Amino acid sequence: MKRTKIKDLLHGEGGEVLVKGWVKTRRDSKGGFSFLEINDGSCLANIQVVAEHTLPDYSSIENQLTTGSCVSVRGKLVASKGKGQSKEVQATEIRVYGSAPVDYPLQKKRHSFEFLREIAHLRPRTNTFGAVMRVRNRLAFSIHRFFQDQGFVYLNTPIVTTSDCEGAGEMFQVTTLDLSNPPRADGAVHGKIDFSQDFFGEKTFLTVSGQLEGEIYAMALAEIYTFGPTFRAENSNTSRHLAEFWMVEPEMAFYDLDDNMDLAEEFIKFLLSDVMEHCAEDMEFFNKRIDTTILETLKNIIDNRFERLTYTDAIHQLQKASKIFTYPVEWGFALQAEHERYLSEKVFKKPIIVFNYPEQIKSFYMKLNEGGETVRAMDVLLPNLGEIIGGSQREENYEVLLQRMRDKDIDPEEYWWYLDLRKFGSAPHSGFGLGFERLVQFVTGMENIRDVIPFPRTPKHAKF
Ligand code: 4AD
Ligand code: MG
């Protein structure tokens, strides 16, 4: 007989069923039976199993039917007479796959998320993490759906790379050289390390973004998207930064910055409504237990147009503010999280898209506006989160791009292939990157980004 998922049981007809899962709680009744709450991860809800003590072999398994143990239950699905559930399984046979002694850490009480991070191998069995991972799963599926429905091609870009897309230099180096005794170029003990002897014959890193490779394929397939792991070796110990995170990066030929912003807005709205429709039970849970405004917030975002303003207007708004900021508000300086949040939470009270940033503070690949002071960059900023998307129209003019590389001390020879795209059949094009974990964080209302990825990697932490 095939196992039925609890999710399907709850809507299913009565009759003979086989359920498998982990015991959440057990309650013994004086009437000679016990109630077991079983969960199998298919949904938030548990199924109640009624175990008569007269079941064959019951006495031999009774001690093993404790919180955390894994069981297989054969029985009859019936309407429940008790309160709190509509259906229950009247067991005819119970087998214990694995018992869980009393030192099982997830006994029935609330645990802090900090504690649960230390037991990342068991935390998926809690209600919160089960719900987070089902929502994360749905969002991943919706991302593919959104782009596939529009004919975008899913592209896998390399994880090991020789180029630094963002030019920030915060990359993890990949090497097989013996760190205690690396080969030296001139043979001297303190000479430069000879990376020609390294595995790839040159210095290599973990990618910070698939964009540059994505652009190559957009110049052939017109509309592509990547969805993969990216890495940043920045020492940021915040609730919004990971050293390893997943990024979604669409790249489109023939899109200007306005088209890019339109797509970003449509994309976010699609993802939010799709998850509200398909993860209703889990979203109710977040709304009840994690953030009581989350459903209302998501709905408002879906129903209202994002505010779009230039960087220059954003600076004016901030300079008008009565709030004292930690970081300076001056044209030419980067917007900090405190500025971004003030604008979206206090001034506009909704998502905003800031565009046309000063040339000096943005990457070399962004298209220079007329006048040369700003570039066609855009950031999507959400209330309570800050930046979720960073993107731009790309510089498609060979000479202008070459000059910007030189100005920013980027060796054009290392990016000869990127320049080639501007030499042979160049086209206006744009793209953006969305931080997947920030999206999951925003949708669930979870406070810390470390709690929306199965195994977070952060400074000084790569356990599990
Ligand atoms: O703004 P970023 O750095 O943009 C790029 O990498 C571009 N190459 C994207 C493109 O145009 N194709 O990163 C994009 C997004 C950010 O908006 C943020 O949501 C997320 O990636 N992100 C992080 N998420 C978690 N932890 C970190 N350390 C992150 N750094 C960026
Ligand atoms: Mg950014």
Side-chain angles (χ1 to χ4, degrees):
M1 189 176 180
K2 223 179 134 205
R3 161 177 97 93
T4 310
K5 291 193 173 77
I6 291 170
K7 175 177 88 171
D8 301 327
L9 268 190
L10 296 169
H11 310 120
E13 319 247 296
E16 177 87 6
V17 291
L18 178 63
V19 193
K20 301 185 180 193
W22 290 265
V23 176
K24 284 276 187 136
T25 59
R26 166 174 151 193
R27 203 156 47 82
D28 295 325
S29 153
K30 291 198 192 81
F33 48 89
S34 298
F35 297 106
L36 304 173
E37 290 283 330
I38 314 274
N39 189 278
D40 66 3
S42 62
C43 60
L44 189 71
N46 305 322
I47 187 82
Q48 174 163 286
V49 169
V50 184
E52 301 263 359
H53 295 170
T54 52
L55 279 176
D57 296 334
Y58 187 79
S59 59
S60 67
I61 58 165
E62 181 167 15
N63 292 337
Q64 298 175 49
L65 293 174
T66 54
T67 299
S69 61
C70 184
V71 297
S72 160
V73 178
R74 204 181 266 276
K76 221 169 111 194
L77 185 67
V78 296
S80 174
K81 292 186 216 92
K83 269 190 279 177
Q85 67 280 320
S86 59
K87 302 241 169 78
E88 64 188 22
V89 173
Q90 244 139 27
T92 52
E93 185 194 283
I94 300 180
R95 280 175 54 199
V96 178
Y97 284 124
S99 59
V102 286
D103 57 349
Y104 179 60
L106 296 175
Q107 297 299 333
K108 202 187 176 190
K109 66 163 186 149
R110 266 204 160 174
H111 301 282
S112 73
F113 290 132
E114 287 77 14
F115 168 70
L116 291 175
R117 261 171 241 151
E118 289 167 22
I119 50 165
H121 60 307
L122 295 173
R123 69 176 184 170
R125 297 191 202 171
T126 62
N127 287 341
T128 306
F129 284 90
V132 166
M133 288 308 142
R134 282 185 298 270
V135 165
R136 186 181 163 108
N137 167 66
R138 180 69 211 187
L139 285 168
F141 181 74
S142 318
I143 285 164
H144 284 292
R145 223 187 106 194
F146 177 82
F147 289 119
Q148 293 294 330
D149 284 353
Q150 303 197 35
F152 281 56
V153 174
Y154 174 40
L155 182 76
N156 302 119
T157 48
I159 289 169
V160 175
T161 179
T162 54
S163 54
D164 177 3
C165 172
E166 290 309 299
E170 288 159 334
M171 304 179 84
F172 290 101
Q173 194 173 342
V174 176
T175 180
T176 54
L177 293 181
D178 177 0
L179 293 182
S180 61
N181 183 26
R184 306 280 178 178
D186 52 7
V189 184
H190 297 296
K192 268 195 160 175
I193 295 176
D194 179 11
F195 287 103
S196 72
Q197 295 186 46
D198 202 350
F199 187 90
F200 295 105
E202 59 185 310
K203 258 189 168 179
T204 48
F205 306 91
L206 295 178
T207 188
V208 295
S209 160
Q211 178 196 325
L212 302 189
E213 292 92 349
E215 284 187 52
I216 296 178
Y217 275 79
M219 290 299 105
L221 305 173
E223 289 165 338
I224 63 97
Y225 69 104
T226 72
F227 186 2
T230 47
F231 306 84
R232 307 252 164 128
E234 53 198 342
N235 194 13
S236 303
N237 265 302
T238 80
S239 59
R240 298 178 310 123
H241 286 88
L242 290 166
E244 177 181 284
F245 61 100
W246 287 63
M247 218 203 291
V248 184
E249 297 185 272
E251 188 71 36
M252 301 76 64
F254 319 122
Y255 273 52
D256 65 14
L257 188 64
D258 285 325
D259 302 326
N260 203 23
M261 291 194 278
D262 290 345
L263 186 77
E265 182 170 341
E266 191 197 339
F267 182 43
I268 290 178
K269 288 177 171 171
F270 175 86
L271 297 177
L272 301 192
S273 44
D274 189 77
V275 82
M276 280 174 81
E277 183 186 341
H278 293 279
C279 297
E281 186 194 25
D282 290 324
M283 289 308 301
E284 283 292 341
F285 170 82
F286 290 119
N287 201 53
K288 210 160 121 197
R289 305 298 281 270
I290 303 295
D291 173 356
T292 53
T293 62
I294 194 69
L295 287 177
E296 194 192 324
T297 304
L298 300 189
K299 203 170 168 310
N300 272 330
I301 291 180
I302 295 165
D303 292 342
N304 290 293
R305 194 174 151 73
F306 292 8
E307 187 73 33
R308 297 185 190 181
L309 72 163
T310 62
Y311 168 88
T312 304
D313 286 342
I315 291 293
H316 287 153
Q317 289 283 352
L318 292 167
Q319 283 170 339
K320 276 200 312 207
S322 52
K323 188 179 155 68
I324 313 286
F325 296 107
T326 313
Y327 290 90
V329 177
E330 207 177 309
W331 202 96
F333 283 59
L335 295 181
Q336 301 294 329
E338 56 170 347
H339 306 135
E340 299 176 341
R341 293 191 56 166
Y342 181 82
L343 289 170
S344 64
E345 286 160 32
K346 297 286 182 309
V347 182
F348 297 104
K349 300 185 170 64
K350 58 172 171 169
I352 60 175
I353 310 183
V354 179
F355 63 98
N356 286 354
Y357 282 78
E359 176 277 324
Q360 319 86 274
I361 57 171
K362 288 291 182 182
S363 305
F364 71 95
Y365 54 72
M366 296 182 179
K367 184 172 172 65
L368 206 57
N369 275 313
E370 269 169 45
E373 298 205 316
T374 57
V375 285
R376 289 193 195 171
M378 61 112 173
D379 276 1
V380 180
L381 314 174
L382 297 182
N384 300 323
L385 183 86
E387 180 187 335
I388 187 160
I389 281 179
S392 61
Q393 183 169 346
R394 321 305 189 188
E395 183 55 71
E396 83 263 26
N397 180 290
Y398 183 91
E399 296 300 334
V400 178
L401 181 63
L402 188 63
Q403 191 54 50
R404 290 205 75 223
M405 285 178 147
R406 289 190 176 130
D407 292 347
K408 290 189 183 286
D409 275 333
I410 291 166
D411 183 2
E413 273 178 31
E414 274 183 37
Y415 291 90
W416 61 273
W417 47 271
Y418 192 69
L419 282 158
D420 258 10
L421 297 177
R422 278 74 184 165
K423 204 156 119 193
F424 307 122
S426 189
H429 64 290
S430 301
F432 62 79
L434 170 136
F436 185 50
E437 284 74 21
R438 290 203 185 161
L439 172 72
V440 182
Q441 204 185 348
F442 185 73
V443 165
T444 57
M446 294 291 287
E447 285 218 340
N448 198 310
I449 198 164
R450 298 164 199 213
D451 300 329
V452 299
I453 185 165
F455 304 103
R457 268 80 182 99
T458 51
K460 302 272 179 292
H461 186 96
K463 292 210 173 52
F464 302 98

